[in-house]
Amino acid sequence: MALDRWIALALFFVCVLYGYSAYFLMDDLLPPIMRRSPIWPSSFPKVLAVGGVLMSLSVLFNLERSADQPQSDINLSRLWEYNVGQAVLLLGLMVVYAILLRPFGFLGSTFLFLVGGSLILGERRFGLMALVSAIAAGTVWYLVDAVLGIFLSPFPFFLMGN
């Protein structure tokens, strides 16, 4: 079996376990007053689990490839030709983003993450990169904070005045 199918099989089992916990374990912890709500805290995990199961099954059964598309499996002997370094750097940048989220606030850490990710992927137009990163970070913060009503600390704790 090809590497993409092994990964899809592993993701299938992860999504099934995630879906089981979303459908049966999360809902049991809800207080009775929240059970009348049309959207529960487990609604989004349920959607993710079903979507993950469907996507992994489509890879397992080769539904994502058309009949005329050539079979292109990953050649593990030439693994370092696949930009593995960029992928590892992006994963490391995600860890740094999670660590810096509280000390730098959402806007600062998200801006730095987007600029760093753009640099890793090869973008060199610094003005455009900074502008797009600032607009994206600000838009996401506004949507989460003002539209959804979920408080998300935009600035570092020492600038918030609390």
Side-chain angles (χ1 to χ4, degrees), residues 125-155:
R125 294 177 285 181
F126 297 110
L128 179 65
M129 186 171 42
L131 178 67
V132 168
S133 297
I135 290 172
T139 302
V140 170
W141 173 79
Y142 174 76
L143 289 174
V144 169
D145 192 63
V147 176
L148 293 177
I150 301 169
F151 176 71
L152 190 58
S153 178
F155 303 112

mmCIF file of all heavy atoms in Angstrom, residues 125-155:
data_model
loop_
_atom_site.group_PDB
_atom_site.id
_atom_site.type_symbol
_atom_site.label_atom_id
_atom_site.label_comp_id
_atom_site.label_asym_id
_atom_site.label_seq_id
_atom_site.Cartn_x
_atom_site.Cartn_y
_atom_site.Cartn_z
ATOM 1 N N ARG A 125 8.622 39.849 -1.265
ATOM 2 C CA ARG A 125 8.084 41.207 -1.347
ATOM 3 C C ARG A 125 7.635 41.603 0.056
ATOM 4 O O ARG A 125 6.503 41.375 0.462
ATOM 5 C CB ARG A 125 6.931 41.266 -2.338
ATOM 6 C CG ARG A 125 7.399 40.992 -3.764
ATOM 7 C CD ARG A 125 6.252 40.984 -4.702
ATOM 8 N NE ARG A 125 5.523 39.722 -4.499
ATOM 9 C CZ ARG A 125 4.463 39.355 -5.173
ATOM 10 N NH1 ARG A 125 3.961 40.146 -6.092
ATOM 11 N NH2 ARG A 125 3.873 38.210 -4.933
ATOM 12 N N PHE A 126 8.553 42.219 0.808
ATOM 13 C CA PHE A 126 8.357 42.434 2.235
ATOM 14 C C PHE A 126 7.209 43.389 2.539
ATOM 15 O O PHE A 126 6.479 43.188 3.493
ATOM 16 C CB PHE A 126 9.660 42.924 2.871
ATOM 17 C CG PHE A 126 10.763 41.921 2.774
ATOM 18 C CD1 PHE A 126 11.849 42.136 1.935
ATOM 19 C CD2 PHE A 126 10.709 40.743 3.504
ATOM 20 C CE1 PHE A 126 12.856 41.203 1.837
ATOM 21 C CE2 PHE A 126 11.707 39.804 3.405
ATOM 22 C CZ PHE A 126 12.790 40.033 2.572
ATOM 23 N N GLY A 127 7.050 44.431 1.746
ATOM 24 C CA GLY A 127 5.958 45.373 1.987
ATOM 25 C C GLY A 127 4.602 44.715 1.824
ATOM 26 O O GLY A 127 3.710 44.870 2.672
ATOM 27 N N LEU A 128 4.432 43.997 0.733
ATOM 28 C CA LEU A 128 3.177 43.295 0.488
ATOM 29 C C LEU A 128 2.932 42.218 1.542
ATOM 30 O O LEU A 128 1.808 42.052 2.037
ATOM 31 C CB LEU A 128 3.186 42.684 -0.913
ATOM 32 C CG LEU A 128 1.949 41.895 -1.318
ATOM 33 C CD1 LEU A 128 0.740 42.829 -1.391
ATOM 34 C CD2 LEU A 128 2.181 41.204 -2.646
ATOM 35 N N MET A 129 3.996 41.515 1.908
ATOM 36 C CA MET A 129 3.883 40.456 2.908
ATOM 37 C C MET A 129 3.432 41.030 4.250
ATOM 38 O O MET A 129 2.551 40.471 4.913
ATOM 39 C CB MET A 129 5.243 39.766 3.050
ATOM 40 C CG MET A 129 5.285 38.585 3.928
ATOM 41 S SD MET A 129 6.846 37.681 3.853
ATOM 42 C CE MET A 129 8.073 38.938 3.838
ATOM 43 N N ALA A 130 3.999 42.163 4.664
ATOM 44 C CA ALA A 130 3.620 42.782 5.932
ATOM 45 C C ALA A 130 2.184 43.305 5.871
ATOM 46 O O ALA A 130 1.422 43.154 6.829
ATOM 47 C CB ALA A 130 4.590 43.910 6.266
ATOM 48 N N LEU A 131 1.804 43.899 4.744
ATOM 49 C CA LEU A 131 0.452 44.427 4.605
ATOM 50 C C LEU A 131 -0.587 43.311 4.666
ATOM 51 O O LEU A 131 -1.584 43.401 5.397
ATOM 52 C CB LEU A 131 0.325 45.208 3.296
ATOM 53 C CG LEU A 131 -1.055 45.773 2.992
ATOM 54 C CD1 LEU A 131 -1.404 46.868 3.989
ATOM 55 C CD2 LEU A 131 -1.110 46.295 1.567
ATOM 56 N N VAL A 132 -0.377 42.255 3.915
ATOM 57 C CA VAL A 132 -1.322 41.135 3.895
ATOM 58 C C VAL A 132 -1.385 40.462 5.264
ATOM 59 O O VAL A 132 -2.473 40.110 5.747
ATOM 60 C CB VAL A 132 -0.940 40.128 2.782
ATOM 61 C CG1 VAL A 132 -1.713 38.837 2.919
ATOM 62 C CG2 VAL A 132 -1.161 40.746 1.421
ATOM 63 N N SER A 133 -0.249 40.296 5.928
ATOM 64 C CA SER A 133 -0.232 39.670 7.251
ATOM 65 C C SER A 133 -0.975 40.522 8.267
ATOM 66 O O SER A 133 -1.726 39.992 9.100
ATOM 67 C CB SER A 133 1.209 39.446 7.709
ATOM 68 O OG SER A 133 1.866 38.556 6.845
ATOM 69 N N ALA A 134 -0.796 41.839 8.213
ATOM 70 C CA ALA A 134 -1.488 42.727 9.155
ATOM 71 C C ALA A 134 -2.991 42.711 8.911
ATOM 72 O O ALA A 134 -3.784 42.642 9.855
ATOM 73 C CB ALA A 134 -0.936 44.140 9.032
ATOM 74 N N ILE A 135 -3.401 42.763 7.642
ATOM 75 C CA ILE A 135 -4.834 42.739 7.328
ATOM 76 C C ILE A 135 -5.456 41.405 7.733
ATOM 77 O O ILE A 135 -6.550 41.362 8.312
ATOM 78 C CB ILE A 135 -5.062 43.032 5.832
ATOM 79 C CG1 ILE A 135 -4.726 44.494 5.526
ATOM 80 C CG2 ILE A 135 -6.486 42.714 5.413
ATOM 81 C CD1 ILE A 135 -4.725 44.843 4.059
ATOM 82 N N ALA A 136 -4.764 40.305 7.466
ATOM 83 C CA ALA A 136 -5.300 38.982 7.811
ATOM 84 C C ALA A 136 -5.421 38.820 9.325
ATOM 85 O O ALA A 136 -6.446 38.348 9.827
ATOM 86 C CB ALA A 136 -4.407 37.884 7.226
ATOM 87 N N ALA A 137 -4.393 39.205 10.068
ATOM 88 C CA ALA A 137 -4.442 39.074 11.525
ATOM 89 C C ALA A 137 -5.546 39.952 12.103
ATOM 90 O O ALA A 137 -6.308 39.510 12.975
ATOM 91 C CB ALA A 137 -3.087 39.440 12.135
ATOM 92 N N GLY A 138 -5.650 41.181 11.622
ATOM 93 C CA GLY A 138 -6.688 42.079 12.117
ATOM 94 C C GLY A 138 -8.086 41.608 11.783
ATOM 95 O O GLY A 138 -9.005 41.696 12.601
ATOM 96 N N THR A 139 -8.274 41.080 10.575
ATOM 97 C CA THR A 139 -9.592 40.601 10.162
ATOM 98 C C THR A 139 -10.022 39.393 10.983
ATOM 99 O O THR A 139 -11.173 39.324 11.447
ATOM 100 C CB THR A 139 -9.582 40.248 8.665
ATOM 101 O OG1 THR A 139 -9.196 41.411 7.919
ATOM 102 C CG2 THR A 139 -10.929 39.767 8.195
ATOM 103 N N VAL A 140 -9.124 38.448 11.184
ATOM 104 C CA VAL A 140 -9.470 37.266 11.973
ATOM 105 C C VAL A 140 -9.775 37.667 13.409
ATOM 106 O O VAL A 140 -10.746 37.182 14.016
ATOM 107 C CB VAL A 140 -8.341 36.211 11.902
ATOM 108 C CG1 VAL A 140 -8.574 35.098 12.910
ATOM 109 C CG2 VAL A 140 -8.239 35.639 10.505
ATOM 110 N N TRP A 141 -8.959 38.576 13.983
ATOM 111 C CA TRP A 141 -9.224 39.013 15.351
ATOM 112 C C TRP A 141 -10.591 39.693 15.442
ATOM 113 O O TRP A 141 -11.355 39.436 16.362
ATOM 114 C CB TRP A 141 -8.135 39.967 15.839
ATOM 115 C CG TRP A 141 -8.483 40.533 17.169
ATOM 116 C CD1 TRP A 141 -8.358 39.919 18.385
ATOM 117 C CD2 TRP A 141 -9.086 41.799 17.420
ATOM 118 N NE1 TRP A 141 -8.829 40.733 19.374
ATOM 119 C CE2 TRP A 141 -9.286 41.907 18.810
ATOM 120 C CE3 TRP A 141 -9.464 42.858 16.612
ATOM 121 C CZ2 TRP A 141 -9.841 43.018 19.399
ATOM 122 C CZ3 TRP A 141 -10.021 43.969 17.196
ATOM 123 C CH2 TRP A 141 -10.208 44.050 18.573
ATOM 124 N N TYR A 142 -10.900 40.567 14.481
ATOM 125 C CA TYR A 142 -12.187 41.262 14.504
ATOM 126 C C TYR A 142 -13.348 40.273 14.413
ATOM 127 O O TYR A 142 -14.326 40.384 15.146
ATOM 128 C CB TYR A 142 -12.275 42.274 13.365
ATOM 129 C CG TYR A 142 -13.647 42.914 13.271
ATOM 130 C CD1 TYR A 142 -14.036 43.886 14.177
ATOM 131 C CD2 TYR A 142 -14.551 42.499 12.301
ATOM 132 C CE1 TYR A 142 -15.294 44.446 14.121
ATOM 133 C CE2 TYR A 142 -15.820 43.055 12.234
ATOM 134 C CZ TYR A 142 -16.186 44.033 13.142
ATOM 135 O OH TYR A 142 -17.438 44.569 13.082
ATOM 136 N N LEU A 143 -13.241 39.305 13.504
ATOM 137 C CA LEU A 143 -14.325 38.336 13.342
ATOM 138 C C LEU A 143 -14.538 37.501 14.600
ATOM 139 O O LEU A 143 -15.664 37.258 15.018
ATOM 140 C CB LEU A 143 -14.051 37.429 12.140
ATOM 141 C CG LEU A 143 -14.168 38.093 10.769
ATOM 142 C CD1 LEU A 143 -13.723 37.127 9.677
ATOM 143 C CD2 LEU A 143 -15.591 38.547 10.523
ATOM 144 N N VAL A 144 -13.456 37.057 15.221
ATOM 145 C CA VAL A 144 -13.587 36.237 16.427
ATOM 146 C C VAL A 144 -14.084 37.079 17.594
ATOM 147 O O VAL A 144 -14.971 36.660 18.334
ATOM 148 C CB VAL A 144 -12.238 35.550 16.759
ATOM 149 C CG1 VAL A 144 -12.276 34.912 18.128
ATOM 150 C CG2 VAL A 144 -11.897 34.517 15.710
ATOM 151 N N ASP A 145 -13.533 38.275 17.760
ATOM 152 C CA ASP A 145 -13.868 39.089 18.925
ATOM 153 C C ASP A 145 -15.218 39.776 18.782
ATOM 154 O O ASP A 145 -16.079 39.658 19.652
ATOM 155 C CB ASP A 145 -12.769 40.128 19.154
ATOM 156 C CG ASP A 145 -12.905 40.803 20.495
ATOM 157 O OD1 ASP A 145 -12.798 40.087 21.509
ATOM 158 O OD2 ASP A 145 -13.133 42.031 20.527
ATOM 159 N N ALA A 146 -15.432 40.493 17.697
ATOM 160 C CA ALA A 146 -16.647 41.300 17.563
ATOM 161 C C ALA A 146 -17.824 40.503 17.013
ATOM 162 O O ALA A 146 -18.942 40.640 17.497
ATOM 163 C CB ALA A 146 -16.366 42.500 16.664
ATOM 164 N N VAL A 147 -17.592 39.703 16.007
ATOM 165 C CA VAL A 147 -18.704 38.996 15.367
ATOM 166 C C VAL A 147 -19.124 37.773 16.177
ATOM 167 O O VAL A 147 -20.307 37.580 16.465
ATOM 168 C CB VAL A 147 -18.338 38.609 13.915
ATOM 169 C CG1 VAL A 147 -19.439 37.796 13.284
ATOM 170 C CG2 VAL A 147 -18.053 39.858 13.090
ATOM 171 N N LEU A 148 -18.164 36.936 16.572
ATOM 172 C CA LEU A 148 -18.504 35.735 17.341
ATOM 173 C C LEU A 148 -18.649 36.009 18.833
ATOM 174 O O LEU A 148 -19.226 35.207 19.554
ATOM 175 C CB LEU A 148 -17.446 34.644 17.120
ATOM 176 C CG LEU A 148 -17.373 34.061 15.716
ATOM 177 C CD1 LEU A 148 -16.242 33.059 15.635
ATOM 178 C CD2 LEU A 148 -18.688 33.419 15.330
ATOM 179 N N GLY A 149 -18.106 37.115 19.300
ATOM 180 C CA GLY A 149 -18.222 37.465 20.708
ATOM 181 C C GLY A 149 -17.309 36.674 21.617
ATOM 182 O O GLY A 149 -17.561 36.558 22.810
ATOM 183 N N ILE A 150 -16.236 36.136 21.086
ATOM 184 C CA ILE A 150 -15.268 35.379 21.875
ATOM 185 C C ILE A 150 -14.083 36.299 22.139
ATOM 186 O O ILE A 150 -13.453 36.782 21.210
ATOM 187 C CB ILE A 150 -14.808 34.115 21.124
ATOM 188 C CG1 ILE A 150 -16.001 33.230 20.806
ATOM 189 C CG2 ILE A 150 -13.755 33.373 21.923
ATOM 190 C CD1 ILE A 150 -15.680 32.105 19.854
ATOM 191 N N PHE A 151 -13.791 36.537 23.421
ATOM 192 C CA PHE A 151 -12.674 37.430 23.733
ATOM 193 C C PHE A 151 -11.369 36.784 23.332
ATOM 194 O O PHE A 151 -11.080 35.641 23.688
ATOM 195 C CB PHE A 151 -12.637 37.785 25.217
ATOM 196 C CG PHE A 151 -11.452 38.624 25.563
ATOM 197 C CD1 PHE A 151 -11.381 39.948 25.153
ATOM 198 C CD2 PHE A 151 -10.392 38.091 26.263
ATOM 199 C CE1 PHE A 151 -10.282 40.730 25.457
ATOM 200 C CE2 PHE A 151 -9.286 38.856 26.562
ATOM 201 C CZ PHE A 151 -9.231 40.176 26.157
ATOM 202 N N LEU A 152 -10.588 37.524 22.597
ATOM 203 C CA LEU A 152 -9.279 37.079 22.148
ATOM 204 C C LEU A 152 -8.329 38.238 22.390
ATOM 205 O O LEU A 152 -8.480 39.307 21.798
ATOM 206 C CB LEU A 152 -9.347 36.720 20.660
ATOM 207 C CG LEU A 152 -8.189 36.014 20.026
ATOM 208 C CD1 LEU A 152 -7.897 34.702 20.740
ATOM 209 C CD2 LEU A 152 -8.485 35.725 18.573
ATOM 210 N N SER A 153 -7.392 38.075 23.296
ATOM 211 C CA SER A 153 -6.503 39.161 23.689
ATOM 212 C C SER A 153 -5.666 39.611 22.489
ATOM 213 O O SER A 153 -4.815 38.864 22.015
ATOM 214 C CB SER A 153 -5.587 38.697 24.820
ATOM 215 O OG SER A 153 -4.704 39.723 25.172
ATOM 216 N N PRO A 154 -5.901 40.834 21.991
ATOM 217 C CA PRO A 154 -5.197 41.264 20.786
ATOM 218 C C PRO A 154 -3.760 41.676 21.045
ATOM 219 O O PRO A 154 -2.915 41.574 20.161
ATOM 220 C CB PRO A 154 -6.021 42.453 20.307
ATOM 221 C CG PRO A 154 -6.652 42.994 21.531
ATOM 222 C CD PRO A 154 -6.884 41.816 22.429
ATOM 223 N N PHE A 155 -3.474 42.163 22.244
ATOM 224 C CA PHE A 155 -2.152 42.707 22.545
ATOM 225 C C PHE A 155 -1.527 41.939 23.704
ATOM 226 O O PHE A 155 -2.206 41.199 24.410
ATOM 227 C CB PHE A 155 -2.277 44.190 22.908
ATOM 228 C CG PHE A 155 -2.928 45.011 21.832
ATOM 229 C CD1 PHE A 155 -4.176 45.561 22.039
ATOM 230 C CD2 PHE A 155 -2.314 45.201 20.610
ATOM 231 C CE1 PHE A 155 -4.793 46.308 21.061
ATOM 232 C CE2 PHE A 155 -2.923 45.945 19.618
ATOM 233 C CZ PHE A 155 -4.161 46.497 19.838
#
